[in-house]
Every structure is written in C-alpha cells, then in structure tokens.
Amino acid sequence: MKMVAPWTRFYSNSCCLCCHVRTGTILLGVWYLILNAVVLLILLSALADPDHYHFSSSELGGDFEFMDDANMCIAIAISVLMILICAMATYGAYKQRAAWIIPFFCYQIFDFALNTLVAVTVLVYPNSIQEYIRQLPPDFPYKDDIMSVNPTCLVLIILLFISIILAFKGYLISCVWNCYRYINGRNSSDVLVYVTSNDTTGWMEEVCGEEDQVLLPPYDDATVNSATKEPPPPPEDHFTR
C-alpha cells in the first residue's frame, strides 16, 4: 500500500471558478498589481498636492498629523515594492518559473500572520475595540451606532468578519502554493525526461560502439580465420554396429 503524506491531500490543480491554479495565480497577481498601482497613484497625488489631502487636527480628533513626508515616502516605497512582487508572481506563473512566485507567497504568509495577530488581540483584549472607536473622529460615519451596540456582540461580529477574511486569505495562499508545486513538479518532470532520454541514447550508442568493436573484426582477419579453420569432424553414426 502506497503511503501518502497528509499535506498532499490538499493539493489540487484547480481553484475557484474551475480555473487552473496557474490561471488563478496570474489573475490574483494582476488584481494585487492593479490595487497597489492605484494606491501608488493616490500617494503620489497626495505628495504632489499635500493641501488637497490635508486633514486638520480638529477633523481627526487629535493633536497629530495625518501623514507627514517621511510616512508618505515609506508608503510609496512599500507600494513600489508590492508592485514589483506582484509583477514577479504574475510573470513567474505565466512563464512557469517557480522561483519568481516565492516573494509573493512570503508576502501572503506575512499578511495572514498579521491578520491572525489582530484576531488574537481582539479575542484577548475585547475592550480595545471600544477604546479604538472612541478615538475615531466625531464625524466618523456610524460612530454612534457602533458605540450603541453591545460590546460582546460587537466582538463576535468583528471576530466573524476577521475569520471570513482569514479563511479567504488561506484559500488564496493554498492556490499560490499549489501553483508553485505544479510548476516545480512540471519542470522537474521535464528535466527527468530529458536526462533519461539522453542517458538511454548514450547507453545505446555505447553498446552499439562496443558491438562494432567486438563483434565486427577487421575484414582481413575474418578472411584468414575462416580459411585456416579446420572443418568440423563428421558426426558419428550411432546406429552402425
């Protein structure tokens, strides 16, 4: 009986909407690429015209600045890095290069870990939600309605929402991982077939060469040996007395 590893049961070549994992990874990379490009354009617009995106301390309900130049530059650098990672994942899935998908997969793991920490924080410190809502600006939409909700129900709703997000992110991680395994296994099988065919051809040529050298002696030696060879003795008649 063949033993199968437990994690191989989750391996599949298909993903959502009956697409192949390679197609799903390409679509996912393009989607993230578009989102980060839009964010980069917004950040560049805010950096070029800071007065248009300026929020006063009274609007924010605190004595801090919404976004200074240093934070803006850091956000732009992160957006450019994310665009590069998404482009690498899309190119790697399209050209079937597994190594190019690794940075995007690592980003997914990091994002999943951060969301898991948020869920754990909400579960361990449920009162932090109320404190965070109180720190929001006074004109924040539905702030009074959210504050009027029972704290226990609010925690359960937020945990349910985060759980759905984590499940969806985990499914996307599995799609990218299956794409990596598919491309890596496909490249390994191609290399194995190529090496096996070359080894078989070389072995046949070597055997044929040895046969030519051993089984096919020179013409002169073959003629001399056949001429000097004595004829076989006549068979004995076992029926003669």
Side-chain angles (χ1 to χ4, degrees):
M1 184 177 179
K2 185 178 179 181
M3 300 297 295
V4 180
W7 54 84
T8 56
R9 299 176 182 177
F10 301 98
Y11 174 72
S12 176
N13 289 335
S14 61
C15 60
C16 186
L17 301 178
C18 299
C19 296
H20 196 271
V21 288
R22 183 164 161 258
T23 305
T25 303
I26 293 173
L27 294 176
L28 183 62
V30 172
W31 172 250
Y32 273 87
L33 188 64
I34 294 173
L35 288 180
N36 288 280
V38 172
V39 172
L40 181 61
L41 290 176
I42 294 174
L43 292 175
L44 292 176
S45 300
L47 186 63
D49 189 9
D51 295 333
H52 182 70
Y53 295 91
H54 178 72
F55 295 93
S56 62
S57 58
S58 60
E59 294 176 350
L60 295 174
D63 297 332
F64 57 91
E65 190 175 357
F66 177 70
M67 183 71 76
D68 55 359
D69 294 338
N71 294 330
M72 188 72 69
C73 293
I74 293 174
I76 291 174
I78 293 175
S79 299
V80 172
L81 181 61
M82 286 302 305
I83 290 174
L84 180 61
I85 291 175
C86 297
M88 288 176 60
T90 306
Y91 178 80
Y94 180 73
K95 292 294 184 179
Q96 297 188 10
R97 297 183 179 179
W100 291 63
I101 306 177
I102 293 298
F104 186 74
F105 179 75
C106 294
Y107 157 73
Q108 286 185 307
I109 296 296
F110 179 73
D111 183 55
F112 185 84
L114 288 181
N115 286 273
T116 304
L117 289 177
V118 171
V120 172
T121 303
V122 171
L123 185 62
V124 175
Y125 302 103
N127 295 326
S128 60
I129 300 175
Q130 297 291 334
E131 296 178 359
Y132 177 76
I133 295 174
R134 292 190 187 97
Q135 294 177 0
L136 293 175
D139 55 349
F140 187 83
Y142 305 104
K143 179 181 178 180
D144 296 333
D145 297 335
I146 297 174
M147 291 293 296
S148 62
V149 177
N150 188 7
T152 304
C153 296
L154 183 62
V155 170
L156 292 178
I157 292 173
I158 293 177
L159 286 177
L160 179 62
F161 182 72
I162 295 177
S163 299
I164 294 174
I165 293 177
L166 287 177
F168 182 70
K169 287 181 179 294
Y171 179 74
L172 295 180
I173 290 173
S174 66
C175 291
V176 176
W177 175 247
N178 290 336
C179 179
Y180 171 79
R181 291 188 58 184
Y182 169 77
I183 295 175
N184 198 16
R186 184 182 178 88
N187 294 335
S188 300
S189 62
D190 292 341
V191 172
L192 180 61
V193 170
Y194 177 75
V195 172
T196 305
S197 62
N198 287 344
D199 291 343
T200 305
T201 305
W203 176 78
M204 293 179 63
E205 291 178 354
E206 183 178 356
V207 171
C208 293
E210 291 179 356
E211 291 180 354
D212 291 341
Q213 295 176 2
V214 177
L215 300 180
L216 298 178
Y219 178 76
D220 296 337
D221 295 340
T223 306
V224 172
N225 292 332
S226 62
T228 59
K229 187 176 181 181
E230 296 180 357
E236 297 180 357
D237 189 1
H238 297 282
F239 298 98
T240 58
R241 295 181 180 176

